[in-house]
Amino acid sequence: MLRLTNQVRPYAWGARTAIPRLLGAEPDGTPQAELWLGAHHGAPSTVHPDGGPVPLPRFIADDPHGVLGPRTVERFGARLPFLLKFLAADAPLSLQVHPDTARARSGFEAEERAGIPVGAPHRNYRDPHHKPELLLALDPFEALCGFREPAAARRDLEGLDGELAGLLRGDLAASDTHEALRSALTRLLRLPAPERGRLLAEFVAEWSACGGRGAHTGIVTDLADRYPGDPGAVAALLLNRVTLRPGQALFLPAGNLHAYLRGTAVEVMASSDNVLRAGLTHKHVDVPELLDVVDFSVLPVPYTGPRRLDGRREFRPEAPEFTLHEIGPGRVAAYLPGEGPSVVLALDGRVELVAEVGHGLTLVRGESVFIPAGSGPVKVEGRGHVVAATVGAL
């Protein structure tokens, strides 16, 4: 087991105190949005073996079969296939979607051939991997997630006399739900530039004057205030509004249009940074690419529940790259599986980790470790709250 130091991503939507509180640091007044625990090149962690600190990607590259295990290398290559994050949102994230594997690979290769630098702001694909993700709420967490029935969105627009509201009602009246949703979202994202500001401002003013409708009452005006002239504020009406209780989780596969609004959570995902944005952002929006990637199906909110095993809660969605384990809070005595590599983060308290092979160590709030493959099951005991990411079923 090797202790980790991890990097914080200071995105503008981040909270100012949650991550410093986790790490036992003084807030510096700047937003701190995500703590990354893994080997993604965007913000890799560092391990601390006896010889001194080593970036985790280099540590893996020096002995991939020993560190990751032969079965992980066979399935995913010589890389850690998952990325664990602690997420602290004080403002909405962009309205976004993630590609599937085929689209990510083809998009990445096309942009490589075109000579677009990986860090270029107009680049869509920063790696050739998909990015399914699971989010576990640590406190009440608000999100927009997946399309609701077009008829429900259309009802919320009834009685609005503005031009844009009328056009959207027409789009949403299509008998085919996929076509109705595609038409409405396409209209919003392709509003003519000379008229966009006027149409959106008129809609938001009328929406506010009538007091809003249903679960989306305050969302449209709040998003419009934060992002004036951004069609994502109105597009929120097409999506389910979700409030997760602590311990509830969502699984977001490729194509699910979503936006996180506020709260703290743990995320685990395939190790990728591929994001296609639809709005609520000042970053690049590629409308044709996004519309090709979005899944316009009407589906239930993608809650995912855990299995209870050996004193832990195991979230194993349909993503081979990862499984998320939660132990605690409170008095704990549990085992983490030891088939492949894992990353463990202590959210609270103090726990002892004892591997079947190798030494043990103590984790307190904010501390984390990387456990190479071959360590065997790891016993976790003490009083605290711990999450761990492992490779999906091997």
Side-chain angles (χ1 to χ4, degrees):
M1 288 187 283
L2 300 164
R3 291 191 181 273
L4 288 171
T5 54
N6 310 294
Q7 297 191 49
V8 175
R9 307 296 272 176
Y11 305 134
W13 48 262
R16 286 165 169 73
T17 59
I19 291 178
R21 185 168 62 246
L22 173 72
L23 300 178
E26 284 295 321
D28 62 8
T30 62
Q32 299 188 28
E34 295 178 345
L35 180 72
W36 286 26
L37 299 90
H40 191 278
H41 63 79
S45 300
T46 298
V47 292
H48 296 266
D50 292 338
V54 181
L56 183 54
R58 194 174 85 198
F59 183 77
I60 292 170
D62 287 345
D63 182 15
H65 283 83
V67 173
L68 301 176
R71 297 176 70 182
T72 299
V73 174
E74 181 182 353
R75 291 176 69 188
F76 304 108
R79 67 186 191 94
L80 187 67
F82 60 79
L83 175 63
L84 181 66
K85 295 181 182 180
F86 182 93
L87 182 151
D90 200 36
L93 284 67
S94 60
L95 185 62
Q96 61 186 253
V97 70
H98 306 302
D100 63 18
T101 299
R103 190 73 180 213
R105 184 181 296 118
S106 64
F108 178 80
E109 291 172 352
E111 291 182 324
E112 288 288 281
R113 289 193 299 271
I116 304 172
V118 171
H122 63 288
R123 176 129 182 180
N124 289 323
Y125 297 98
R126 303 188 185 279
D127 54 66
H129 306 296
H130 70 162
K131 191 189 175 188
E133 60 188 36
L134 182 144
L135 180 136
L136 173 66
L138 299 177
D139 60 14
F141 194 95
E142 296 183 42
L144 298 167
C145 178
F147 289 107
R148 58 182 183 145
E149 288 285 350
R154 191 168 187 269
R155 283 194 297 272
D156 283 349
L157 298 173
E158 290 177 358
L160 300 183
D161 299 324
E163 181 179 351
L164 182 56
L167 292 169
L168 291 173
R169 279 197 300 271
D171 294 328
L172 294 168
S175 57
D176 181 83
T177 57
H178 286 73
E179 182 57 34
L181 293 166
R182 178 181 286 277
S183 295
L185 184 63
T186 301
R187 180 180 301 282
L188 287 169
L189 298 185
R190 288 183 168 161
L191 288 172
E195 302 175 44
R196 179 185 303 157
R198 174 185 63 82
L199 289 170
L200 292 171
E202 287 177 354
F203 182 96
V204 173
E206 187 175 21
W207 179 267
S208 301
C210 77
R213 306 286 171 82
H216 295 71
T217 293
I219 288 180
V220 173
T221 49
D222 178 58
L223 295 177
D225 286 344
R226 294 176 184 273
Y227 296 98
D230 191 318
V234 179
L237 291 171
L238 305 178
L239 305 177
N240 296 298
R241 181 181 180 181
V242 181
T243 300
L244 297 176
R245 300 187 306 273
Q248 284 190 304
L250 293 174
F251 173 62
L252 300 171
N256 187 300
L257 189 63
H258 63 280
Y260 298 148
L261 301 177
R262 60 183 60 83
T264 57
V266 169
E267 276 190 295
V268 63
M269 61 198 64
S271 187
S272 171
D273 198 25
N274 285 327
V275 178
L276 294 164
R277 297 174 178 87
L280 309 181
T281 182
H282 303 296
K283 295 182 179 180
H284 176 60
V285 175
D286 184 333
V287 173
E289 187 72 14
L290 177 118
L291 292 172
D292 279 350
V293 168
V294 169
D295 181 354
F296 287 98
S297 301
V298 175
L299 298 171
V301 176
Y303 297 110
T304 183
R307 296 194 302 165
R308 298 182 182 274
L309 301 167
D310 303 324
R312 60 188 162 89
R313 302 166 72 219
E314 179 185 273
F315 296 86
R316 182 176 288 182
E318 295 179 5
E321 290 85 357
F322 62 81
T323 297
L324 182 67
H325 311 264
E326 183 185 27
I327 300 172
R331 177 65 65 181
V332 299
Y335 282 88
L336 291 170
E339 296 175 287
S342 58
V343 171
V344 183
L345 170 65
L347 298 172
D348 203 4
R350 179 187 183 93
V351 297
E352 304 291 328
L353 273 59
V354 181
E356 187 175 73
V357 178
H359 65 283
L361 52 75
T362 301
L363 283 187
V364 299
R365 181 188 182 98
E367 293 184 336
S368 56
V369 296
F370 175 75
I371 305 175
S375 298
V378 174
K379 186 176 183 180
V380 182
E381 58 183 350
R383 182 175 291 277
H385 190 189
V386 173
V387 289
T390 64
V391 181
L394 293 170

